[in-house]
Amino acid sequence: MGKYEKLILKILSGQSDTNIPFDDLCNLLQGNGFVMRIRGSHHVFRKDGIEEKINLQREGSKAKPYQVRQVRHVVLKYQLGGKQ
């Protein structure tokens, strides 16, 4: 199992929302076709066909827990957990 698969499982399990590296979460979204736009400390991700926009901010080297939950919701809703 590669790093991508482990990250998806970690996000979907919901048990490590406070321990998801920010850069890994950004790479996961970009690998699933999201386009990142940075404005100040906000990293905004959009993708055609997905109405939600995902707005991430760093908390040290980690992503904020509530933002990890938002990513989990989008991954589950649009079934984005496939192989990268």
Side-chain angles (χ1 to χ4, degrees):
M1 182 180 307
K3 184 176 181 177
Y4 172 77
E5 289 85 8
K6 287 179 184 178
L7 181 61
I8 286 286
L9 288 175
K10 199 173 183 182
I11 291 170
L12 293 179
S13 76
Q15 297 177 358
S16 299
D17 288 352
T18 60
N19 200 26
I20 304 292
F22 179 82
D23 291 333
D24 289 352
L25 194 58
C26 290
N27 290 335
L28 172 79
L29 291 170
Q30 288 178 311
N32 274 293
F34 284 81
V35 176
M36 179 174 64
R37 180 180 59 91
I38 301 172
R39 187 160 181 105
S41 65
H42 296 264
H43 293 65
V44 180
F45 294 86
R46 299 292 307 220
K47 181 177 179 179
D48 289 338
I50 295 183
E51 63 185 65
E52 293 92 342
K53 70 177 175 184
I54 300 172
N55 183 359
L56 302 180
Q57 292 176 280
R58 286 184 183 275
E59 191 167 84
S61 65
K62 307 292 183 192
K64 293 184 177 184
Y66 78 92
Q67 294 169 341
V68 174
R69 288 191 294 273
Q70 289 173 345
V71 170
R72 179 173 42 254
H73 171 75
V74 170
V75 167
L76 290 171
K77 182 176 179 180
Y78 296 99
Q79 300 176 353
L80 301 175
K83 285 214 176 232
Q84 204 174 31

